[in-house]
Structures are given as C-alpha cells and as structure tokens.
Amino acid sequence: DAMVIQNPRYQVTQFGKPVTLSCSQTLNHNVMYWYQQKSSQAPKLLFHYYDKDFNNEADTPDNFQSRRPNTSFCFLDIRSPGLGDTAMYLCATSTGQTDTEAFFGQGTRLTVV
Amino acid sequence: AQKITQTQPGMFVQEKEAVTLDCTYDTSDPSYGLFWYKQPSSGEMIFLIYQGSYDQQNATEGRYSLNFQKARKSANLVISASQLGDSAMYFCAMREGISGTYKYIFGTGTRLKVLA
C-alpha cells in the first residue's frame, strides 16, 4: 500500500562516483519534492516539481540534479558525490492545493565513502 | 532567518502522561499552514496534524492536538496519554508560497523519549 516509494533504501557510493536515487508515487500528485536530511538536522528542500515545472532552491549545489520523466517518477542525480553528501534523502509529494500535507517516502540513506 | 523554531532538542515524558512540544514560526503571509510530522528511527516522515492560519479552532487528531496561538506565532503539539511507540523525532513544518508552488519548511526537530 506504499504510496511514495523510494529506491534503494540504502546506498553506499564512492567519492566522486555518480549516483541516482529514485522515487515513484501512486497518488497522482502534481508536486514532487526532494529533501536532504543530515544527521540530527531538519530536512532541507533541494528542489521540487510542479508537474514538469522545475523549481531549484537557491542554495542547492550544482552537483545535484533532478529529472521527472512523468507524473509518477522523479530522480535525484548526484554527479560527483562528496563525503558531505552523506545523508538521508527524502522524496515527498503533494497535490499542490491548500490545506494538504506532504506525503513522504521511507527515504534513501546515502553513504559516500 | 529561521522560519520555524523548535527550542527543545530533547524531551522526556512518562508513559501515559501528556507532553507539549514547542514550535514558533515566522511569516508575513496572511495564509499559511502548519504541520507536525513524526519521524521514527526508520526515517519515514509521518504526518500527524495540520492547522490552517484561518482555522478558528485548534486542530485535533486522536491523541494529538495543536495549540495554535496566532498572535504569538506558536503552534505547539500536545500528545496526550503518551505511549512507548511515541518515542521519535517530531518536526514542525510550515507551508509557504503560492498554490501550485508550495514548499514545506521544517524546524530542527525535538527528540521525544517516552519512559516506561
């Protein structure tokens, strides 16, 4: 019954080796978000899509890219991961309407070694 | 500037007691939404409760209630009859932006530990 699914749950990658995290949703929501959450910190918004319109946060490093090929799927690409990119990456969706919450996936724990 | 402030890094509560988790926010938008999420050690963010800025009454969802004081810009979460399974991180969040481009901004969280 999972509505927002992230794969993989755990990922270990080498310093500088590109990595892709995926997110899929069965809710048919217009908006998809990617958050980065480092240990004991608040989730930090990296970017979000409203349909195909991409919105990048001003302080998101260029190393992070995203793709949304269709309504159901969204990908986070890290082109050259650094040790500081070790974090939990959370995908979320929402309808984009007022008074609605964001629905989160279980997250991907990324470790850069 | 911090938009969501949670001043309690950690809290303890005895099982079956009530606990209040603090949250203050900063916005100049007349229309906004406030949310509380629970994050267990597994990592998933679980939605608990929502309060809209125009709502006249405090939101309630089962054992969760939100003490909304608009003039003070506070939206504290009250958990009644705490259970061991309530031990987790709790995040206050605010929705900002305009319809279609809403973003959810989170506080730094409060780690709650329920004691048997």
Side-chain angles (χ1 to χ4, degrees), chain A residues 12 22 33 51 59 65 67 72 101 110:
Chain A
V12 179
S22 75
Y33 307 83
D51 288 334
D59 57 355
Q65 304 285 317
R67 297 169 282 138
S72 301
E101 73 270 27
L110 176 69

Side-chain angles (χ1 to χ4, degrees), chain A residues 27-88:
Chain A
L27 297 164
N28 204 34
H29 283 170
N30 293 324
V31 193
M32 295 188 77
Y33 307 83
W34 279 106
Y35 286 85
Q36 178 194 62
Q37 186 182 22
K38 295 187 177 180
S39 182
S40 301
Q41 294 185 21
K44 177 181 177 300
L45 182 64
L46 295 174
F47 22 61
H48 70 284
Y49 280 92
Y50 184 84
D51 288 334
K52 294 197 174 191
D53 292 336
F54 178 69
N55 299 273
N56 195 35
E57 293 300 295
D59 57 355
T60 298
D62 293 339
N63 200 24
F64 290 82
Q65 304 285 317
S66 185
R67 297 169 282 138
R68 189 178 186 187
N70 54 53
T71 300
S72 301
F73 286 89
C74 196
F75 300 97
L76 171 61
D77 301 308
I78 310 176
R79 291 190 296 187
S80 182
L83 300 179
D85 296 329
T86 292
M88 170 77 92

